[in-house]
Amino acid sequence: MKKITLVLGCLILLNSSCSKKQNNAIPNYIEEPHSFSQPNDAAITHLDLDINVDFDNEIIQGKASYLIKNNEASQIILDTKFITIDKVQADGKDTTFTLGDFDTQLGSPLKIDINQNTKRITVFYKTTHKTEALQWLKPRQTTDKIHPFLFTQGQAILTRTWIPIQDSPQIRITYNAKVQVPSQLMAVMSAENPKTKTPDGLYTFKMAQPISPYLIALAVGDIEYKAVSNRTGIYAEKSMVDKAHYEFSDMENMVASAEALYGTYAWEQFDVIVLPPSFPFGGMENPRLTFATPTVIAGDKSLTSLIAHELAHSWSGNLVTNASWDDFWLNEGFTVYFEMRIMEALYGKDRANMLARIGRQDLEEEIEGFKDTPDDTKLKLNLKGRNPDDGMNSIAYDKGYLFLRTLEETVGREKFDTFLKSYFQKHAFSTIHTEKFVAFLNDNLLEKHGITFNTDEWIYTAGIPDNQSIILSDKFETVEKTVQQFVKTNTVDKTLTKDWTTQEWVHFVRNFPDDIKTEHLAMIDDAFNLTNSNNSYIAMVWYEQAINYDYHGNNIDTKIEDFLIKVGRRWYVSTIYKAFKRNDKVETALAIYKKARSNYHSVTANTIDDMLGYKQD
Ligand SMILES: [Zn+2]
């Protein structure tokens, strides 16, 4: 398999620069469908960013200057989308450039004329109101409601909408940045960060380890820092700092137990910024500074597996990165596996298995949703011509996890851990695609120990192979018996639920028996006040079921609407809109969506636009 990879690399080179003398310092990049760049000709290696964040006009303006590895090329190509290019320089002198045809997914290639000795290019640019990475929040959309807020979301291919860049995950660059913001605000990035505000709003940053462009991130707001340990801490708006600090007080323990499993944490600092509720993801693993939704602040530390997940990305994803979005499962499947191991190490097997069982049910529902397009349930995808976000679903996460868990149970934990440790070590600060992983797995685990395993079936075929690991949870069995008893006896016994965790409540709500009636839902709601739950996860699954079972008690319709207007986390809101759609209530969904849409980041809005067939007036 390794040989095939090398041949492939050379075939690609034939198209572009095979006739030229090869510069050995340039790695052979694979062909990648979501970037116009041709890094085998000329690749960026370091970025110096110098920008001004203009809240009045909601634009970022400045220059992106790159050191390049130049393989005697006459042109270097960057990805751009919805960016205005003012001027381009090569080694400090103005040079010519063209913007190629616009593609709705990929944007436009910025083709910059260089000569074979060019070492640095500089692009002077500004963002536009169409930018998809940036979300500019009005003060009313923040927690403290006094100052505006800005955050970026680069994954998968949105960094090109705020920085002209070779926006492919197989590119790795270091960066320095100079960022000017209004003096009452603080700027933080996926880099070495300030802990206090500067008097003039000017911030400088340094990311010394090479990262993929989708991991460049910026947040600007009226935020404060509070340390958890000497290498972990929290950024958040003033009224959120203490709550977040309490919720995430196990951060240092998480880093320590992750290191005990798979080796030294490579990024020195591990901080989390809690963003306003419109943040489209649970978390985003921006190196040194995870971006997180406030919906995981439950008050009882019950949703902190999200932090374990983002931390695990410091190895799988940030240190060893998927080479293309077709290999996204290598980022997410490994991360879910690692997350479960951290949770098991810190909180025990019961907790980890409950989380795994919830993921298993998500996977079942995802596969059912793809019954007309089974190819979408393969781990290795083919997303050419599609938005890479199409692959960001439970298949990569939960099927990827199930594959690795099954593999672990087949070979034994000790051998598997040794293998994973060497996998992270050998591929640190590099990118990997599925075929390279399979070859490494064969050489270093399966053939080495004479073990047969149906790897190809797991990776390249639809659905779930028969040898899948069976995930059992005694706690969930008890939950299932409890809900059946409540329905059968028409009474609620609160002593049976008094020590339940969030995971048990989620399982309870998602596994109502088929014969449950509206009266039972009202009985359960009155007893446990689910409609008014302060735990956003429990509220979300309860709202989904309320729509499924047509339950309208306790003002739940208003609560669902309020939730959808306030929260922008894509997983949560898409689950609820999907429930409306499934139950022939698209009109209701659209009526709410029209009020909520302006609060959503483009990542969430694009998903819901497609789901509901929404077109802007
Ligand atoms: Zn992840």
Side-chain angles (χ1 to χ4, degrees), residues 285 309 313 332 335 397:
E285 64 271 22
H309 180 96
H313 271 305
E332 294 302 341
T335 296
Y397 291 76

PDB file of all heavy atoms in Angstrom, residues 285 309 313 332 335 397, ligand 1:
ATOM      1  N   GLU A 285     -11.547  22.656  18.199  1.00  0.00           N
ATOM      2  CA  GLU A 285     -10.267  22.337  18.830  1.00  0.00           C
ATOM      3  C   GLU A 285      -9.136  23.262  18.402  1.00  0.00           C
ATOM      4  O   GLU A 285      -8.023  22.786  18.154  1.00  0.00           O
ATOM      5  CB  GLU A 285      -9.920  20.882  18.511  1.00  0.00           C
ATOM      6  CG  GLU A 285      -9.695  20.560  17.016  1.00  0.00           C
ATOM      7  CD  GLU A 285     -10.932  20.171  16.242  1.00  0.00           C
ATOM      8  OE1 GLU A 285     -12.046  20.517  16.675  1.00  0.00           O
ATOM      9  OE2 GLU A 285     -10.794  19.524  15.186  1.00  0.00           O
ATOM     10  N   HIS A 309     -13.084  15.802  24.663  1.00  0.00           N
ATOM     11  CA  HIS A 309     -13.064  15.627  23.206  1.00  0.00           C
ATOM     12  C   HIS A 309     -12.130  16.646  22.543  1.00  0.00           C
ATOM     13  O   HIS A 309     -11.256  16.275  21.756  1.00  0.00           O
ATOM     14  CB  HIS A 309     -14.490  15.769  22.658  1.00  0.00           C
ATOM     15  CG  HIS A 309     -14.595  15.601  21.178  1.00  0.00           C
ATOM     16  ND1 HIS A 309     -14.940  14.402  20.593  1.00  0.00           N
ATOM     17  CD2 HIS A 309     -14.380  16.465  20.165  1.00  0.00           C
ATOM     18  CE1 HIS A 309     -14.922  14.545  19.275  1.00  0.00           C
ATOM     19  NE2 HIS A 309     -14.598  15.795  18.991  1.00  0.00           N
ATOM     20  N   HIS A 313      -8.334  16.184  20.572  1.00  0.00           N
ATOM     21  CA  HIS A 313      -7.939  16.694  19.251  1.00  0.00           C
ATOM     22  C   HIS A 313      -6.514  17.259  19.243  1.00  0.00           C
ATOM     23  O   HIS A 313      -5.921  17.416  18.172  1.00  0.00           O
ATOM     24  CB  HIS A 313      -8.892  17.784  18.796  1.00  0.00           C
ATOM     25  CG  HIS A 313     -10.084  17.284  18.038  1.00  0.00           C
ATOM     26  ND1 HIS A 313      -9.967  16.491  16.923  1.00  0.00           N
ATOM     27  CD2 HIS A 313     -11.418  17.482  18.230  1.00  0.00           C
ATOM     28  CE1 HIS A 313     -11.195  16.223  16.462  1.00  0.00           C
ATOM     29  NE2 HIS A 313     -12.085  16.805  17.242  1.00  0.00           N
ATOM     30  N   GLU A 332     -11.944  12.594  13.628  1.00  0.00           N
ATOM     31  CA  GLU A 332     -13.033  12.515  14.611  1.00  0.00           C
ATOM     32  C   GLU A 332     -13.201  11.139  15.260  1.00  0.00           C
ATOM     33  O   GLU A 332     -13.478  11.050  16.447  1.00  0.00           O
ATOM     34  CB  GLU A 332     -14.351  12.962  13.979  1.00  0.00           C
ATOM     35  CG  GLU A 332     -14.369  14.441  13.607  1.00  0.00           C
ATOM     36  CD  GLU A 332     -14.117  15.389  14.777  1.00  0.00           C
ATOM     37  OE1 GLU A 332     -14.265  14.976  15.942  1.00  0.00           O
ATOM     38  OE2 GLU A 332     -13.748  16.555  14.519  1.00  0.00           O
ATOM     39  N   THR A 335     -10.653  10.824  17.811  1.00  0.00           N
ATOM     40  CA  THR A 335     -10.895  11.757  18.914  1.00  0.00           C
ATOM     41  C   THR A 335     -11.995  11.254  19.837  1.00  0.00           C
ATOM     42  O   THR A 335     -11.890  11.357  21.062  1.00  0.00           O
ATOM     43  CB  THR A 335     -11.214  13.148  18.356  1.00  0.00           C
ATOM     44  OG1 THR A 335     -10.053  13.621  17.668  1.00  0.00           O
ATOM     45  CG2 THR A 335     -11.570  14.122  19.458  1.00  0.00           C
ATOM     46  N   TYR A 397     -17.662  10.327  13.410  1.00  0.00           N
ATOM     47  CA  TYR A 397     -17.461  10.297  14.858  1.00  0.00           C
ATOM     48  C   TYR A 397     -17.744   8.905  15.435  1.00  0.00           C
ATOM     49  O   TYR A 397     -16.872   8.281  16.027  1.00  0.00           O
ATOM     50  CB  TYR A 397     -18.402  11.293  15.539  1.00  0.00           C
ATOM     51  CG  TYR A 397     -18.085  12.742  15.274  1.00  0.00           C
ATOM     52  CD1 TYR A 397     -18.390  13.357  14.063  1.00  0.00           C
ATOM     53  CD2 TYR A 397     -17.481  13.529  16.252  1.00  0.00           C
ATOM     54  CE1 TYR A 397     -18.107  14.691  13.829  1.00  0.00           C
ATOM     55  CE2 TYR A 397     -17.192  14.874  16.034  1.00  0.00           C
ATOM     56  CZ  TYR A 397     -17.508  15.448  14.815  1.00  0.00           C
ATOM     57  OH  TYR A 397     -17.222  16.760  14.590  1.00  0.00           O
TER      58      TYR A 397
HETATM   59 ZN    ZN B   1     -14.155  16.667  17.150  1.00  0.00          ZN
END
